[in-house]
Amino acid sequence: QVQVEESGGGSVQAGGSLRLACSASGRAIAVYAMAWHRQAPGNERDLVASIRWAGNEAPVYADSVKGRFTISRGNPRLNAKSTVYLQMNDLKPEDTAIYYCRLHTHTGDYWGQGTQVTISS
């Protein structure tokens, strides 16, 4: 069984920063990538950023967050906690959403429960 857990959400004013963390643990799996998605009320769940778990391929970002958000890897060990971070700077009210972490593996995708991010103007 694989567990994915997000943390670091909260409420800040526009222009502020937050750092989200996602930890994945459980049985040995081959992790291909980890990603952050977000879903605002009434909207679909959209990709925010993704990063390969190995190699030097550049991360992928949604156009709306380029230059403001940075995704990075923590310890890439398998069969242990794998962690990915999302540093969010210059936050805007339109960034308000529930942020979900997705673990992409050879057995499929695993999602966390989400963490709320609220930006006030």
Side-chain angles (χ1 to χ4, degrees):
Q1 187 176 0
V2 177
Q3 294 83 37
V4 180
E5 184 175 3
E6 306 96 339
S7 62
S11 299
V12 297
Q13 291 188 329
S17 298
L18 284 172
R19 189 189 194 209
L20 305 183
C22 171
S23 294
S25 61
R27 59 184 174 87
I29 51 176
V31 179
Y32 296 153
M34 293 183 77
W36 288 96
H37 296 250
R38 67 185 181 187
Q39 186 169 21
N43 291 352
E44 295 182 351
R45 188 175 298 187
D46 295 325
L47 177 69
V48 175
S50 66
I51 188 167
R52 291 286 184 182
W53 205 243
N56 296 318
E57 184 176 334
V60 174
Y61 295 96
D63 288 342
S64 59
V65 306
K66 283 180 180 177
R68 300 188 298 122
F69 290 12
T70 302
I71 188 171
S72 60
R73 295 184 296 238
N75 185 348
R77 291 173 57 202
L78 299 179
N79 200 28
K81 285 209 171 185
S82 300
T83 305
V84 66
Y85 303 97
L86 186 68
Q87 177 66 43
M88 305 186 296
N89 298 329
D90 189 23
L91 284 160
K92 304 176 180 181
E94 51 264 41
D95 294 318
T96 295
I98 299 175
Y99 283 69
Y100 296 91
C101 180
R102 174 173 61 89
L103 184 71
H104 181 53
T105 78
H106 77 292
T107 60
D109 288 350
Y110 299 88
W111 292 85
Q113 293 298 307
T115 185
Q116 177 70 47
V117 171
T118 302
I119 312 303
S120 57
S121 57

